[in-house]
């Protein structure tokens, strides 16, 4: 896990300005068998907004796989962001892997604009849940280390940017 904080020179984006950018990159593998949401180790980032009017742009990517279904979601502290509509009894994940091959891996984007209305330190993190079997980050289900190179490894990241008025 690598966390980098970059305080920009106020890059203009229309009416807003990027006040700070912080990134965490996850290079190691992770697996989960929990049938309830659990934190993905090393895939979180903290930011302290400078004003309550600031918005936080959360971007990044999750590289992973699932032996059956694996759901991922992004939270601000304990609040899930980007909750799908009409959940009823459905799982609250906002990013889903459904793999049919044990050597397949996919990278899915994260793109969320949050309005936290806070100047406290906030933690943005990724959680994972599986229906059955296991969910994986940065590796395939099989994860075979062979000379043919079928089973890839990848990287995942989460970036937060404070957008000021």
């Amino acid at each position: 896990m690598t966390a980098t904080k970059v305080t920009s020179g106020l890059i203009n984006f229309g009416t807003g300005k990027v006040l700070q950018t912080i990134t965490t990159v996850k290079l190691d593998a992770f697996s989960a068998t929990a049938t309830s949401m659990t934190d993905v180790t090393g895939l979180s980032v903290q930011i302290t907004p400078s004003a309550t009017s600031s918005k936080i742009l959360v971007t990044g990517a999750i590289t992973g796989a699932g032996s059956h279904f694996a759901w991922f979601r992004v939270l601000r502290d304990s609040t899930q962001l980007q909750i799908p509509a009409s959940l009823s009894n459905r799982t609250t994940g906002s990013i889903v892997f459904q793999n049919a091959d044990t050597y397949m891996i996919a990278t899915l984007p994260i793109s969320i604009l949050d309005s936290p209305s806070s100047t406290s330190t906030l933690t943005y993190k990724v959680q994972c849940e599986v229906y059955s079997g296991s969910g994986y980050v940065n590796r395939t289900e099989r994860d075979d280390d062979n000379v043919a190179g079928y089973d890839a490894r990848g990287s995942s990241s989460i970036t937060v940017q404070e957008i000021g008025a």
Side-chain angles (χ1 to χ4, degrees), residues 6-12 17-21:
V6 177
T7 303
S8 73
L10 299 181
I11 301 168
N12 287 320
K17 297 177 174 117
V18 176
L19 303 177
Q20 56 179 318
T21 299

Side-chain angles (χ1 to χ4, degrees), residues 146-152:
N146 62 56
V147 296
Y150 294 123
D151 295 87

Side-chain angles (χ1 to χ4, degrees), residues 48-123:
T48 305
S50 59
T52 57
S53 60
S54 293
K55 300 210 181 297
I56 305 296
L57 179 61
V58 184
T59 59
I62 301 170
T63 299
S67 57
H68 192 66
F69 290 102
W71 295 277
F72 294 89
R73 66 181 182 180
V74 177
L75 289 86
R76 176 194 354 100
D77 296 326
S78 61
T79 302
Q80 181 181 348
L81 304 178
Q82 200 166 302
I83 300 172
S86 303
L87 282 175
S88 188
N89 293 316
R90 297 173 184 95
T91 299
T92 61
S94 49
I95 303 167
V96 179
F97 286 104
Q98 178 182 354
N99 281 36
D101 295 312
T102 61
Y103 56 87
M104 298 299 290
I105 193 169
T107 301
L108 300 176
I110 298 169
S111 182
I112 300 169
L113 185 61
D114 187 29
S115 301
S117 300
S118 176
T119 56
S120 299
T121 299
L122 305 171
T123 300

Side-chain angles (χ1 to χ4, degrees), residues 132-146:
S132 66
S134 297
Y136 306 97
V137 175
N138 295 343
R139 58 162 278 197
T140 64
E141 177 186 358
R142 187 173 63 183
D143 198 34
D144 191 11
D145 186 7
N146 62 56

